[in-house]
Amino acid sequence: GAVVSQHPSWVICKSGTSVKIECRSLDFQATTMFWYRQFPKQSLMLMATSNEGSKATYEQGVEKDKFLINHASLTLSTLTVTSAHPEDSSFYICSARVPWGGSSYEQYFGPGTRLTVT
Amino acid sequence: SQELEQSPQSLIVQEGKNLTINCTSSKTLYGLYWYKQKYGEGLIFLMMLQKGGEEKSHEKITAKLDEKKQQSSLHITASQPSHAGIYLCGAGGGTGTASKLTFGTGTRLQVTL
């Protein structure tokens, strides 16, 4: 199956600093990637849809100036958490939509990045 | 917006027992995905269902989508400790769209020896 990687797998940063998380599709090109966040014992919440070569589409309630998304190439999307605060501590997961499958869309997920803001 | 409710929220079964997890949607499902997640890890794709009445199996896991396409069930036969984890159903948008997923509330499965 398709492989999606994330880097780093975990990061600790101080309040007020910015953190960049990378999401890569390793063996396929992904024109669309998705960013989710997951709080402990909760389900995944979609934050934004990242489209290669265009601006990301953010879900309602997600601050686009705080969570900067850049889909610079067909295999890489980045999420930058700017001026991080403790409430931004969460598990961030990306997914990539595979380009095959006709009208059905399979998404493969990265292993996630655990962000802790102190 | 579409809402997915899973039941039960958590489940503890003895190894070798069968179990079923349900996923109910507030709207018609155009694509229903089942994923498994281990704590602190990413999601593993299990199956995707699209057609009313569709049923798919992989090893000891069977997923079904009802005829009305508003409910799906995931059935595990003869459960093993390796089946433990969080099971999430996800619903995609209509066919032909970019299909961003909305996830259910999740079912936490523990398998005891």
Side-chain angles (χ1 to χ4, degrees):
Chain A
V3 180
V4 177
S5 70
Q6 279 184 245
H7 178 79
S9 55
W10 59 272
V11 58
I12 302 173
C13 70
K14 291 186 177 181
S15 187
T17 61
S18 296
V19 174
K20 179 184 286 187
I21 303 170
E22 294 184 349
C23 176
R24 293 182 186 273
S25 56
L26 297 185
D27 48 4
F28 66 98
Q29 293 182 333
T31 56
T32 303
M33 291 184 174
F34 303 89
W35 286 96
Y36 298 83
R37 65 187 297 180
Q38 184 180 34
F39 291 107
K41 296 188 178 181
Q42 293 188 24
S43 190
L44 278 71
M45 296 296 295
L46 179 66
M47 298 175 66
T49 302
S50 172
N51 299 297
E52 189 270 337
S54 64
K55 291 183 179 180
T57 304
Y58 291 82
E59 295 301 299
Q60 191 172 13
V62 178
E63 299 176 58
K64 61 180 180 180
D65 294 331
K66 180 167 184 62
F67 298 100
L68 301 178
I69 292 173
N70 187 350
H71 197 146
S73 75
L74 287 171
T75 59
L76 173 65
S77 175
T78 61
L79 169 68
T80 301
V81 183
T82 63
S83 187
H85 289 98
E87 57 265 31
D88 298 324
S89 299
S90 187
F91 192 56
Y92 292 87
I93 306 178
C94 72
S95 71
R97 182 165 72 86
V98 295
W100 56 85
S103 61
S104 61
Y105 299 96
E106 293 182 14
Q107 287 187 31
Y108 285 84
F109 285 76
T113 296
R114 184 162 302 283
L115 169 63
T116 301
V117 184
T118 60
Chain B
S1 61
Q2 187 161 33
E3 293 184 1
L4 296 175
E5 189 168 331
Q6 286 183 236
S7 63
Q9 289 187 346
S10 64
L11 195 55
I12 302 174
V13 299
Q14 195 173 21
E15 184 179 6
K17 298 294 185 183
N18 303 334
L19 64 106
T20 300
I21 299 169
N22 294 303
C23 175
T24 302
S25 172
S26 58
K27 296 181 179 180
T28 300
L29 294 161
Y30 290 101
L32 189 284
Y33 301 73
W34 282 101
Y35 289 89
K36 177 186 173 185
Q37 182 184 30
K38 292 199 170 183
Y39 178 73
E41 299 182 15
L43 276 67
I44 300 169
F45 173 79
L46 296 176
M47 276 171 276
M48 183 189 68
L49 304 166
Q50 274 192 301
K51 300 175 183 177
E54 187 175 8
E55 179 177 321
K56 289 186 178 178
S57 293
H58 177 67
E59 296 181 344
K60 295 185 178 181
I61 300 176
T62 300
K64 300 178 185 179
L65 182 61
D66 74 343
E67 289 289 344
K68 294 183 178 179
K69 296 172 64 175
Q70 282 197 272
Q71 187 169 41
S72 177
S73 61
L74 185 82
H75 184 77
I76 298 177
T77 304
S79 59
Q80 300 170 350
S82 60
H83 288 127
I86 302 168
Y87 289 82
L88 293 160
C89 63
T95 56
T97 71
S99 200
K100 58 184 183 182
L101 293 177
T102 300
F103 282 93
T105 47
T107 296
R108 192 175 296 269
L109 171 64
Q110 294 181 50
V111 180
T112 61
L113 298 174

